[in-house]
Amino acid sequence: MLTCVWCGRSFAPAITVTMIWQWRPLPQPALCATCHDRLTPISPQHCPQCGRQQTTVEVCRDCRRWHDNLRNRAVYRYDAGMKAYMQQYKFQGDYRLRLGLQEALRLALEQVDYDILVPIPIDERTWQTRGFNQVTGWLTGQPFQQALAVTATHKDRPQSAKTRQERLLTPQPFELVAGASDLLANRRVLLLDDVYTTGRTLRHAAQQIYLGGAKAVTSLTLAR
Amino acid sequence: MTDFSELFGRRSPVPLPGAPEMVTSKAVTAIGQRWQCQRCRQWIAATDRLPNGDWYCRTCLQLGRLTSRDRLYTIPEPNRFARLVMGGLTWHGRLSARQMQAAQAVQKHALAGQRQLLWAVTGAGKTEIVYPALADALARGWRVAWVSPRIDVCLELAPRLQRDFGGVEQCVLYGGQPVPYHYCQLTICTTHQLLRFDQAFDWIIVDEVDAFPLATSPMLQVAIDRAQKTQGSCLYLTATPGERLQREIRQGKLAVTYLPLRYHGYLLPPLQLKISWRWRQQLGRGRLPAGLQRQLRLWWTARRPFLVFVPHVADLPVVMAVLMKAGLSGGTTVHAADPERQAKVQAFRAGNYRFLLTTTILERGVTFPKVAVAILGADDPVFSTAALVQIAGRVGRLATDSGGQVLAYCHSNARTVQRARNMITRLNRQGRRQGGRPC
Ligand SMILES: [Zn+2]
Ligand SMILES: [Zn+2]
Ligand SMILES: [Zn+2]
């Protein structure tokens, strides 16, 4: 029996025939079936730019307003279940909950072609109070480069406390760390973030990465 | 003058600068090789370390995260309350002679600072029996907490105490409460919330002491002890004390007041056993035990409100589908994580639903007039002996109720069911001696 990292109940992992045929150690799921079902994966029917779940594969209205060619993929919908997860993981600071989505992120990263993985950074104050970067918490040994930092002068309310209009007007919060250009020059970079809401944060980050000389920038978020 | 009362008898991670007598200590401390949370006194797992080097407690996370970087602040409880007339009691009801006798015993033990249990059958009116002792305690300037492991019990209790103790300032605390904490003489809260208090209360009333999760949680037991002043005491209320409390009574460690009869003088309804062989397999094929379906139709046709208890949340939609197919409409399902739980219970009480399908969450603390009860799978381990006695106790609570039945459908005659039936028989034997009548 395993203990579900989210609800704390013990459960027996389901074993399927395909898992047995794979001839490798069976993965130990961190979530029970009930908690697993609280999250909704995004199907192939999504916006080709922001990755939002839709009934078609056309560029969505929000994306058409940006007039750019950002390309984001998202793993799960940002629905009530995902909000509850984020509430406990990010806002209540339950670091152990990172285990719940590590496997899903690992599989998603395997689907993407990139040279360098760059997680969205958190500012110094958040590092002190929350104690962890919620994005890198999901990584399980995949190499990444902390090429971006939050500028020291950037004192700001959390994105989640703002209206859409305010978010869109947020000034550039990121800068390249020393030596970033050496890493980024002519590489294909994948940005990694927790939630795509307006796309403002990712576009700011991409802008800086391009300044560092990257050849292409795409992004992956856990939720949209 | 700045108001520092927010820290009186509290254990808070937020200091009030300039507060006199403020005591502070580390929130998470190293003891040998291990780390312990000083709010809930639980050990922190070796893996629960943050990348910035801090340790954090998962056990009491719901009250706001504590890390090894935090401190806790307290001001020793000063009992700074205005004098109350009649202990703030505004209740005009009257206790029966039997209830009065119990009330006086409770008051005597409380005054003597004794740990005590009020063992009263479901529907004995135990809340009102505590009123004289509570009024007395409040008149003496005691700080009192009325707590329960069940949030439903707190929510049903709070408006009653607000009405019946109109002269006392009160606050209600539970996870997600809409009103912030403020210092006052009478606190109504879940046992979890006691983790935020430090030697605050002269008297703690623990309602439904045998209910989940208190009965199985050493953390919550400790929370009650630490929220109580060293010279304070507590009163446990229940209809179904567990083995531990019963042992303490036998050993003379716990004073007990006994009330085997409901306030209206009627006996408890018996738990009727209905053997339904392989009911679970039948349900898998979309069928209910024939007897159960017939019975539910009878109740439904007679417009008697009824509760159907099932072992698991997953059983709810299955049973509901069968009833819908059978044409029994107008009911709904309720379970612990249901966001509309409160509203549905209220609506059923108001007669807007004809029946509720539910799990053990509605086993206690709720009163529905004229209700009948069926338990599908009463032999499932989720239904403890105490739970079954409590569920049976939903029936016949009002003096005007009659003819309510409690039917337990099981695959076999499990020991829990047998024990529950025995407990009811024993209580009714005692009740009959005191002049109780069958309902
Ligand atoms: Zn779970
Ligand atoms: Zn889009
Ligand atoms: Zn704790």
Side-chain angles (χ1 to χ4, degrees):
Chain A
M1 290 298 256
L2 302 172
T3 303
C4 173
V5 71
W6 195 356
C7 69
R9 279 189 267 269
S10 49
F11 68 102
I15 296 170
T16 62
V17 178
T18 46
M19 287 160 112
I20 295 166
W21 278 112
Q22 281 172 343
W23 293 110
R24 53 175 190 182
L26 295 177
Q28 299 258 306
L31 299 181
C32 72
T34 313
C35 290
H36 186 265
D37 290 346
R38 290 180 74 182
L39 305 174
T40 326
I42 289 176
S43 77
Q45 308 254 293
H46 54 244
C47 168
Q49 279 204 250
C50 67
R52 133 194 297 166
Q53 179 72 66
Q54 298 183 140
T55 46
T56 67
V57 289
E58 267 148 48
V59 176
C60 77
R61 225 180 98 232
D62 284 346
C63 287
R64 282 202 298 266
R65 285 197 285 177
W66 278 107
H67 301 293
D68 64 6
N69 55 2
L70 166 133
R71 216 179 116 83
N72 184 68
R73 284 293 159 272
V75 188
Y76 292 105
R77 298 172 74 147
Y78 195 45
D79 52 12
M82 181 51 86
K83 280 179 185 159
Y85 172 88
M86 288 292 181
Q87 172 63 27
Q88 187 172 333
Y89 176 53
K90 189 171 155 182
F91 298 107
Q92 289 192 320
D94 190 4
Y95 184 54
R96 201 195 287 184
L97 224 50
R98 73 192 187 282
L99 304 175
L101 292 184
Q102 284 178 343
E103 178 64 8
L105 188 69
R106 189 184 67 78
L107 292 173
L109 281 173
E110 277 182 0
Q111 308 291 312
V112 192
D113 247 351
Y114 63 88
D115 302 323
I116 296 181
L117 183 64
V118 177
I120 297 297
I122 55 173
D123 61 35
E124 182 56 26
R125 232 185 69 111
T126 308
W127 174 254
Q128 294 299 330
T129 52
R130 188 184 294 153
F132 61 94
N133 178 329
Q134 69 275 11
V135 178
T136 52
W138 289 314
L139 294 173
T140 42
Q142 297 91 339
F144 66 90
Q145 297 293 340
Q146 204 56 272
L148 292 171
V150 179
T151 52
T153 51
H154 184 76
K155 287 207 179 58
D156 201 12
R157 288 184 296 139
Q159 288 287 100
S160 51
K162 295 187 224 168
T163 65
R164 180 184 160 80
Q165 219 20 260
E166 286 174 311
R167 284 178 200 221
L168 294 177
L169 295 171
T170 312
Q172 174 64 265
F174 303 120
E175 60 190 14
L176 290 170
V177 299
S181 307
D182 300 338
L183 291 168
L184 300 174
N186 249 334
R187 313 304 294 274
R188 293 170 305 159
V189 172
L190 180 69
L191 291 165
L192 185 61
D193 202 2
D194 49 6
V195 185
Y196 183 113
T197 311
T198 60
R200 180 68 273 180
T201 306
L202 282 168
R203 282 177 171 87
H204 275 314
Q207 201 178 11
Q208 295 294 51
I209 298 290
Y210 276 123
L211 286 178
K215 179 165 71 181
V217 184
T218 54
S219 61
L220 177 70
T221 61
L222 209 74
R224 167 66 169 113
Chain B
M1 193 181 116
T2 330
D3 179 24
F4 298 117
S5 66
E6 195 169 316
L7 284 185
F8 292 172
R10 293 279 276 180
R11 201 178 280 135
S12 161
V14 186
L16 295 176
E21 292 183 71
M22 189 166 68
V23 191
T24 168
S25 59
K26 283 185 173 165
V28 173
T29 53
I31 296 177
Q33 297 292 305
R34 300 205 283 172
W35 292 80
Q36 190 190 41
C37 172
Q38 294 309 307
R39 181 165 62 192
C40 68
R41 289 285 167 102
Q42 301 305 296
W43 295 105
I44 289 170
T47 46
D48 285 335
R49 191 174 194 183
L50 303 171
N52 74 353
D54 293 347
W55 297 87
Y56 83 102
C57 178
R58 280 199 98 206
T59 316
C60 61
L61 187 82
Q62 298 303 325
L63 300 178
R65 191 181 71 174
L66 288 183
T67 73
S68 44
R69 190 171 297 224
D70 293 315
R71 301 189 70 85
L72 292 170
Y73 303 89
T74 302
I75 296 174
E77 175 60 48
N79 287 59
R80 195 173 294 163
F81 307 118
R83 281 256 158 249
L84 291 175
V85 182
M86 301 279 293
L89 188 70
T90 46
W91 184 63
H92 298 297
R94 288 189 49 183
L95 296 176
S96 71
R98 266 191 304 265
Q99 288 177 315
M100 194 44 137
Q101 223 174 9
Q104 282 164 349
V106 169
Q107 188 171 352
K108 192 186 80 192
H109 295 316
L111 204 56
Q114 266 179 302
R115 262 178 89 231
Q116 58 165 324
L117 166 70
L118 172 59
W119 184 348
V121 291
T122 53
K126 61 179 161 61
T127 306
E128 289 81 3
I129 291 170
V130 180
Y131 282 179
L134 179 58
D136 185 45
L138 295 169
R140 285 166 198 278
W142 286 9
R143 187 171 187 191
V144 180
W146 195 314
V147 308
S148 172
R150 307 281 296 227
I151 190 166
D152 323 60
V153 175
C154 293
L155 290 177
E156 178 156 308
L157 186 68
R160 282 170 77 182
L161 289 179
Q162 230 117 62
R163 182 190 64 210
D164 298 344
F165 282 82
V168 191
E169 235 193 289
Q170 308 177 17
C171 72
V172 190
L173 310 174
Y174 53 92
Q177 83 219 22
V179 186
Y181 170 80
H182 70 109
Y183 180 63
C184 60
Q185 201 176 350
L186 179 58
T187 303
I188 299 137
C189 66
T190 54
T191 36
H192 265 101
Q193 293 292 322
L194 287 181
L195 290 169
R196 295 192 204 266
F197 290 91
D198 185 53
Q199 296 184 48
F201 301 105
D202 300 275
W203 199 36
I204 299 181
I205 300 155
V206 189
D207 209 334
E208 306 292 356
V209 63
D210 64 305
F212 179 84
L214 176 58
T216 52
S217 164
M219 174 184 80
L220 294 178
Q221 314 270 0
V222 173
I224 295 172
D225 291 343
R226 293 172 76 216
Q228 193 177 303
K229 287 186 187 170
T230 37
Q231 75 280 17
S233 70
C234 56
L235 161 65
Y236 304 124
L237 305 181
T238 181
T240 47
E243 203 34 59
R244 202 174 52 88
L245 286 179
Q246 295 195 39
R247 193 179 331 119
E248 286 189 55
I249 297 169
R250 288 196 296 274
Q251 293 168 341
K253 289 181 185 165
L254 187 66
V256 63
T257 307
Y258 199 60
L259 204 73
L261 205 54
R262 296 183 141 185
Y263 79 95
H264 48 51
Y266 290 101
L267 299 175
L268 298 169
L271 190 66
Q272 297 177 44
L273 183 65
K274 305 279 178 188
I275 297 293
S276 306
W277 200 61
R278 292 168 77 86
W279 65 267
R280 164 88 38 216
Q281 284 80 353
Q282 277 191 47
L283 190 63
R285 289 193 295 270
R287 284 209 304 271
L288 286 177
L292 173 59
Q293 188 153 340
R294 212 176 309 122
Q295 185 62 58
L296 296 184
R297 181 174 298 286
L298 281 176
W299 286 336
W300 190 83
T301 315
R303 291 209 158 253
R304 180 183 280 279
F306 59 91
L307 295 166
V308 182
F309 287 86
V310 297
H312 306 288
V313 176
D315 299 326
L316 292 172
V318 185
V319 176
M320 195 52 162
V322 180
L323 294 183
M324 293 298 276
K325 217 171 119 201
L328 304 189
S329 56
T332 189
T333 60
V334 187
H335 58 90
D338 190 337
E340 290 173 65
R341 174 173 157 187
Q342 295 305 328
K344 285 176 176 175
V345 168
Q346 292 298 340
F348 179 59
R349 194 175 288 135
N352 298 336
Y353 285 117
R354 294 175 70 169
F355 61 91
L356 283 188
L357 242 70
T358 184
T359 55
T360 52
I361 58 145
L362 286 190
E363 76 185 32
R364 59 179 86 211
V366 286
T367 298
F368 304 110
K370 292 209 182 301
V371 79
V373 165
I375 310 162
L376 178 59
D379 50 343
D380 189 287
V382 306
F383 295 113
S384 63
T385 299
L388 291 169
V389 175
Q390 292 282 357
I391 288 172
R394 295 311 100 207
V395 170
R397 293 177 75 86
L398 306 176
T400 48
D401 290 0
S402 61
Q405 285 171 294
V406 189
L407 308 171
Y409 292 82
C410 358
H411 173 70
S412 64
N413 188 1
R415 201 151 75 192
T416 44
V417 182
Q418 202 50 54
R419 283 198 181 136
R421 300 182 68 197
N422 290 344
M423 194 190 253
I424 292 172
T425 312
R426 215 164 50 232
L427 290 165
N428 277 346
R429 200 180 305 136
Q430 308 235 15
R432 218 171 276 122
R433 258 183 240 140
Q434 295 199 5
R437 292 150 295 173
C439 57

PDB file of all heavy atoms in Angstrom, chain A residues 27-50:
ATOM      1  N   PRO A  27       6.389   2.254 -11.867  1.00  0.00           N
ATOM      2  CA  PRO A  27       6.411   3.573 -11.236  1.00  0.00           C
ATOM      3  C   PRO A  27       5.534   3.568  -9.984  1.00  0.00           C
ATOM      4  O   PRO A  27       4.509   2.899  -9.953  1.00  0.00           O
ATOM      5  CB  PRO A  27       5.833   4.491 -12.313  1.00  0.00           C
ATOM      6  CG  PRO A  27       5.035   3.598 -13.212  1.00  0.00           C
ATOM      7  CD  PRO A  27       5.667   2.238 -13.137  1.00  0.00           C
ATOM      8  N   GLN A  28       5.971   4.288  -8.961  1.00  0.00           N
ATOM      9  CA  GLN A  28       5.189   4.379  -7.730  1.00  0.00           C
ATOM     10  C   GLN A  28       4.361   5.653  -7.802  1.00  0.00           C
ATOM     11  O   GLN A  28       4.907   6.739  -7.642  1.00  0.00           O
ATOM     12  CB  GLN A  28       6.134   4.470  -6.533  1.00  0.00           C
ATOM     13  CG  GLN A  28       7.036   3.275  -6.388  1.00  0.00           C
ATOM     14  CD  GLN A  28       6.539   2.350  -5.318  1.00  0.00           C
ATOM     15  OE1 GLN A  28       6.324   2.749  -4.185  1.00  0.00           O
ATOM     16  NE2 GLN A  28       6.354   1.102  -5.663  1.00  0.00           N
ATOM     17  N   PRO A  29       3.069   5.549  -8.088  1.00  0.00           N
ATOM     18  CA  PRO A  29       2.287   6.778  -8.207  1.00  0.00           C
ATOM     19  C   PRO A  29       2.209   7.498  -6.853  1.00  0.00           C
ATOM     20  O   PRO A  29       2.143   6.862  -5.810  1.00  0.00           O
ATOM     21  CB  PRO A  29       0.913   6.295  -8.659  1.00  0.00           C
ATOM     22  CG  PRO A  29       0.850   4.868  -8.267  1.00  0.00           C
ATOM     23  CD  PRO A  29       2.262   4.350  -8.276  1.00  0.00           C
ATOM     24  N   ALA A  30       2.242   8.831  -6.900  1.00  0.00           N
ATOM     25  CA  ALA A  30       2.175   9.617  -5.666  1.00  0.00           C
ATOM     26  C   ALA A  30       0.740   9.976  -5.308  1.00  0.00           C
ATOM     27  O   ALA A  30       0.452  10.328  -4.179  1.00  0.00           O
ATOM     28  CB  ALA A  30       3.009  10.887  -5.812  1.00  0.00           C
ATOM     29  N   LEU A  31      -0.152   9.901  -6.316  1.00  0.00           N
ATOM     30  CA  LEU A  31      -1.547  10.266  -6.077  1.00  0.00           C
ATOM     31  C   LEU A  31      -2.443   9.032  -6.170  1.00  0.00           C
ATOM     32  O   LEU A  31      -2.221   8.165  -7.011  1.00  0.00           O
ATOM     33  CB  LEU A  31      -2.021  11.284  -7.120  1.00  0.00           C
ATOM     34  CG  LEU A  31      -1.309  12.634  -7.183  1.00  0.00           C
ATOM     35  CD1 LEU A  31      -1.946  13.488  -8.274  1.00  0.00           C
ATOM     36  CD2 LEU A  31      -1.381  13.355  -5.849  1.00  0.00           C
ATOM     37  N   CYS A  32      -3.472   8.985  -5.325  1.00  0.00           N
ATOM     38  CA  CYS A  32      -4.466   7.921  -5.420  1.00  0.00           C
ATOM     39  C   CYS A  32      -5.362   8.201  -6.628  1.00  0.00           C
ATOM     40  O   CYS A  32      -5.322   9.292  -7.193  1.00  0.00           O
ATOM     41  CB  CYS A  32      -5.292   7.844  -4.144  1.00  0.00           C
ATOM     42  SG  CYS A  32      -6.457   9.200  -3.925  1.00  0.00           S
ATOM     43  N   ALA A  33      -6.170   7.240  -6.992  1.00  0.00           N
ATOM     44  CA  ALA A  33      -7.004   7.390  -8.190  1.00  0.00           C
ATOM     45  C   ALA A  33      -7.940   8.587  -8.075  1.00  0.00           C
ATOM     46  O   ALA A  33      -8.135   9.341  -9.030  1.00  0.00           O
ATOM     47  CB  ALA A  33      -7.797   6.105  -8.426  1.00  0.00           C
ATOM     48  N   THR A  34      -8.512   8.781  -6.884  1.00  0.00           N
ATOM     49  CA  THR A  34      -9.464   9.884  -6.690  1.00  0.00           C
ATOM     50  C   THR A  34      -8.779  11.228  -6.912  1.00  0.00           C
ATOM     51  O   THR A  34      -9.300  12.099  -7.614  1.00  0.00           O
ATOM     52  CB  THR A  34     -10.044   9.836  -5.267  1.00  0.00           C
ATOM     53  OG1 THR A  34     -10.433   8.496  -4.994  1.00  0.00           O
ATOM     54  CG2 THR A  34     -11.231  10.755  -5.125  1.00  0.00           C
ATOM     55  N   CYS A  35      -7.602  11.411  -6.290  1.00  0.00           N
ATOM     56  CA  CYS A  35      -6.891  12.678  -6.433  1.00  0.00           C
ATOM     57  C   CYS A  35      -6.396  12.863  -7.863  1.00  0.00           C
ATOM     58  O   CYS A  35      -6.423  13.960  -8.411  1.00  0.00           O
ATOM     59  CB  CYS A  35      -5.731  12.752  -5.451  1.00  0.00           C
ATOM     60  SG  CYS A  35      -6.292  12.920  -3.751  1.00  0.00           S
ATOM     61  N   HIS A  36      -5.949  11.770  -8.468  1.00  0.00           N
ATOM     62  CA  HIS A  36      -5.498  11.811  -9.856  1.00  0.00           C
ATOM     63  C   HIS A  36      -6.620  12.331 -10.750  1.00  0.00           C
ATOM     64  O   HIS A  36      -6.401  13.148 -11.641  1.00  0.00           O
ATOM     65  CB  HIS A  36      -5.070  10.399 -10.273  1.00  0.00           C
ATOM     66  CG  HIS A  36      -4.456  10.338 -11.621  1.00  0.00           C
ATOM     67  ND1 HIS A  36      -5.185  10.036 -12.747  1.00  0.00           N
ATOM     68  CD2 HIS A  36      -3.187  10.562 -12.039  1.00  0.00           C
ATOM     69  CE1 HIS A  36      -4.382  10.075 -13.803  1.00  0.00           C
ATOM     70  NE2 HIS A  36      -3.167  10.387 -13.389  1.00  0.00           N
ATOM     71  N   ASP A  37      -7.844  11.876 -10.479  1.00  0.00           N
ATOM     72  CA  ASP A  37      -8.992  12.267 -11.292  1.00  0.00           C
ATOM     73  C   ASP A  37      -9.457  13.693 -11.025  1.00  0.00           C
ATOM     74  O   ASP A  37     -10.312  14.214 -11.743  1.00  0.00           O
ATOM     75  CB  ASP A  37     -10.168  11.305 -11.055  1.00  0.00           C
ATOM     76  CG  ASP A  37      -9.874   9.931 -11.638  1.00  0.00           C
ATOM     77  OD1 ASP A  37      -8.916   9.831 -12.427  1.00  0.00           O
ATOM     78  OD2 ASP A  37     -10.583   8.975 -11.295  1.00  0.00           O
ATOM     79  N   ARG A  38      -8.919  14.327  -9.996  1.00  0.00           N
ATOM     80  CA  ARG A  38      -9.298  15.726  -9.748  1.00  0.00           C
ATOM     81  C   ARG A  38      -8.662  16.646 -10.790  1.00  0.00           C
ATOM     82  O   ARG A  38      -9.078  17.781 -10.941  1.00  0.00           O
ATOM     83  CB  ARG A  38      -8.855  16.176  -8.343  1.00  0.00           C
ATOM     84  CG  ARG A  38      -9.640  15.517  -7.219  1.00  0.00           C
ATOM     85  CD  ARG A  38      -9.152  15.996  -5.873  1.00  0.00           C
ATOM     86  NE  ARG A  38      -9.598  17.360  -5.589  1.00  0.00           N
ATOM     87  CZ  ARG A  38      -9.262  18.029  -4.480  1.00  0.00           C
ATOM     88  NH1 ARG A  38      -8.480  17.466  -3.584  1.00  0.00           N
ATOM     89  NH2 ARG A  38      -9.714  19.243  -4.281  1.00  0.00           N
ATOM     90  N   LEU A  39      -7.621  16.151 -11.467  1.00  0.00           N
ATOM     91  CA  LEU A  39      -6.927  16.966 -12.464  1.00  0.00           C
ATOM     92  C   LEU A  39      -7.321  16.502 -13.863  1.00  0.00           C
ATOM     93  O   LEU A  39      -7.445  15.314 -14.115  1.00  0.00           O
ATOM     94  CB  LEU A  39      -5.417  16.848 -12.269  1.00  0.00           C
ATOM     95  CG  LEU A  39      -4.920  17.199 -10.861  1.00  0.00           C
ATOM     96  CD1 LEU A  39      -3.439  16.908 -10.735  1.00  0.00           C
ATOM     97  CD2 LEU A  39      -5.214  18.653 -10.536  1.00  0.00           C
ATOM     98  N   THR A  40      -7.525  17.460 -14.770  1.00  0.00           N
ATOM     99  CA  THR A  40      -7.989  17.132 -16.118  1.00  0.00           C
ATOM    100  C   THR A  40      -6.899  17.421 -17.144  1.00  0.00           C
ATOM    101  O   THR A  40      -6.560  18.581 -17.365  1.00  0.00           O
ATOM    102  CB  THR A  40      -9.218  17.997 -16.481  1.00  0.00           C
ATOM    103  OG1 THR A  40      -9.975  18.222 -15.292  1.00  0.00           O
ATOM    104  CG2 THR A  40     -10.060  17.334 -17.530  1.00  0.00           C
ATOM    105  N   PRO A  41      -6.337  16.386 -17.790  1.00  0.00           N
ATOM    106  CA  PRO A  41      -5.327  16.625 -18.820  1.00  0.00           C
ATOM    107  C   PRO A  41      -5.949  17.333 -20.027  1.00  0.00           C
ATOM    108  O   PRO A  41      -7.131  17.133 -20.318  1.00  0.00           O
ATOM    109  CB  PRO A  41      -4.865  15.212 -19.207  1.00  0.00           C
ATOM    110  CG  PRO A  41      -5.379  14.307 -18.148  1.00  0.00           C
ATOM    111  CD  PRO A  41      -6.594  14.955 -17.580  1.00  0.00           C
ATOM    112  N   ILE A  42      -5.141  18.148 -20.702  1.00  0.00           N
ATOM    113  CA  ILE A  42      -5.613  18.843 -21.898  1.00  0.00           C
ATOM    114  C   ILE A  42      -5.458  17.910 -23.102  1.00  0.00           C
ATOM    115  O   ILE A  42      -4.415  17.285 -23.289  1.00  0.00           O
ATOM    116  CB  ILE A  42      -4.832  20.160 -22.085  1.00  0.00           C
ATOM    117  CG1 ILE A  42      -5.278  21.153 -21.004  1.00  0.00           C
ATOM    118  CG2 ILE A  42      -5.056  20.738 -23.482  1.00  0.00           C
ATOM    119  CD1 ILE A  42      -4.544  22.462 -20.999  1.00  0.00           C
ATOM    120  N   SER A  43      -6.534  17.809 -23.900  1.00  0.00           N
ATOM    121  CA  SER A  43      -6.541  16.885 -25.040  1.00  0.00           C
ATOM    122  C   SER A  43      -5.851  17.544 -26.236  1.00  0.00           C
ATOM    123  O   SER A  43      -5.517  18.726 -26.193  1.00  0.00           O
ATOM    124  CB  SER A  43      -7.985  16.537 -25.384  1.00  0.00           C
ATOM    125  OG  SER A  43      -8.565  17.631 -26.075  1.00  0.00           O
ATOM    126  N   PRO A  44      -5.656  16.797 -27.346  1.00  0.00           N
ATOM    127  CA  PRO A  44      -5.029  17.413 -28.529  1.00  0.00           C
ATOM    128  C   PRO A  44      -5.840  18.573 -29.117  1.00  0.00           C
ATOM    129  O   PRO A  44      -5.307  19.368 -29.891  1.00  0.00           O
ATOM    130  CB  PRO A  44      -4.940  16.254 -29.524  1.00  0.00           C
ATOM    131  CG  PRO A  44      -4.937  15.027 -28.666  1.00  0.00           C
ATOM    132  CD  PRO A  44      -5.802  15.349 -27.489  1.00  0.00           C
ATOM    133  N   GLN A  45      -7.105  18.686 -28.759  1.00  0.00           N
ATOM    134  CA  GLN A  45      -7.909  19.811 -29.255  1.00  0.00           C
ATOM    135  C   GLN A  45      -7.629  21.045 -28.420  1.00  0.00           C
ATOM    136  O   GLN A  45      -8.372  21.344 -27.483  1.00  0.00           O
ATOM    137  CB  GLN A  45      -9.396  19.497 -29.117  1.00  0.00           C
ATOM    138  CG  GLN A  45      -9.802  18.187 -29.718  1.00  0.00           C
ATOM    139  CD  GLN A  45     -10.547  18.336 -30.999  1.00  0.00           C
ATOM    140  OE1 GLN A  45     -11.651  18.843 -30.996  1.00  0.00           O
ATOM    141  NE2 GLN A  45      -9.941  17.911 -32.086  1.00  0.00           N
ATOM    142  N   HIS A  46      -6.531  21.753 -28.741  1.00  0.00           N
ATOM    143  CA  HIS A  46      -6.222  22.942 -27.957  1.00  0.00           C
ATOM    144  C   HIS A  46      -5.708  24.045 -28.861  1.00  0.00           C
ATOM    145  O   HIS A  46      -5.376  23.807 -30.032  1.00  0.00           O
ATOM    146  CB  HIS A  46      -5.213  22.606 -26.861  1.00  0.00           C
ATOM    147  CG  HIS A  46      -3.971  21.957 -27.365  1.00  0.00           C
ATOM    148  ND1 HIS A  46      -3.600  20.672 -27.021  1.00  0.00           N
ATOM    149  CD2 HIS A  46      -3.010  22.397 -28.214  1.00  0.00           C
ATOM    150  CE1 HIS A  46      -2.466  20.367 -27.636  1.00  0.00           C
ATOM    151  NE2 HIS A  46      -2.087  21.384 -28.354  1.00  0.00           N
ATOM    152  N   CYS A  47      -5.659  25.247 -28.299  1.00  0.00           N
ATOM    153  CA  CYS A  47      -5.157  26.390 -29.059  1.00  0.00           C
ATOM    154  C   CYS A  47      -3.680  26.152 -29.385  1.00  0.00           C
ATOM    155  O   CYS A  47      -2.890  25.869 -28.494  1.00  0.00           O
ATOM    156  CB  CYS A  47      -5.322  27.671 -28.247  1.00  0.00           C
ATOM    157  SG  CYS A  47      -4.415  29.065 -28.943  1.00  0.00           S
ATOM    158  N   PRO A  48      -3.295  26.253 -30.669  1.00  0.00           N
ATOM    159  CA  PRO A  48      -1.906  25.952 -31.037  1.00  0.00           C
ATOM    160  C   PRO A  48      -0.907  26.961 -30.462  1.00  0.00           C
ATOM    161  O   PRO A  48       0.284  26.694 -30.433  1.00  0.00           O
ATOM    162  CB  PRO A  48      -1.928  26.004 -32.568  1.00  0.00           C
ATOM    163  CG  PRO A  48      -3.123  26.818 -32.917  1.00  0.00           C
ATOM    164  CD  PRO A  48      -4.121  26.605 -31.818  1.00  0.00           C
ATOM    165  N   GLN A  49      -1.388  28.114 -30.008  1.00  0.00           N
ATOM    166  CA  GLN A  49      -0.457  29.085 -29.438  1.00  0.00           C
ATOM    167  C   GLN A  49      -0.309  28.947 -27.920  1.00  0.00           C
ATOM    168  O   GLN A  49       0.782  28.755 -27.418  1.00  0.00           O
ATOM    169  CB  GLN A  49      -0.892  30.511 -29.799  1.00  0.00           C
ATOM    170  CG  GLN A  49      -0.443  30.885 -31.206  1.00  0.00           C
ATOM    171  CD  GLN A  49      -0.324  32.379 -31.376  1.00  0.00           C
ATOM    172  OE1 GLN A  49      -1.125  32.987 -32.074  1.00  0.00           O
ATOM    173  NE2 GLN A  49       0.657  32.969 -30.739  1.00  0.00           N
ATOM    174  N   CYS A  50      -1.437  29.059 -27.198  1.00  0.00           N
ATOM    175  CA  CYS A  50      -1.321  29.081 -25.733  1.00  0.00           C
ATOM    176  C   CYS A  50      -1.568  27.713 -25.096  1.00  0.00           C
ATOM    177  O   CYS A  50      -1.290  27.511 -23.922  1.00  0.00           O
ATOM    178  CB  CYS A  50      -2.285  30.094 -25.131  1.00  0.00           C
ATOM    179  SG  CYS A  50      -4.006  29.653 -25.335  1.00  0.00           S
TER     180      CYS A  50
END
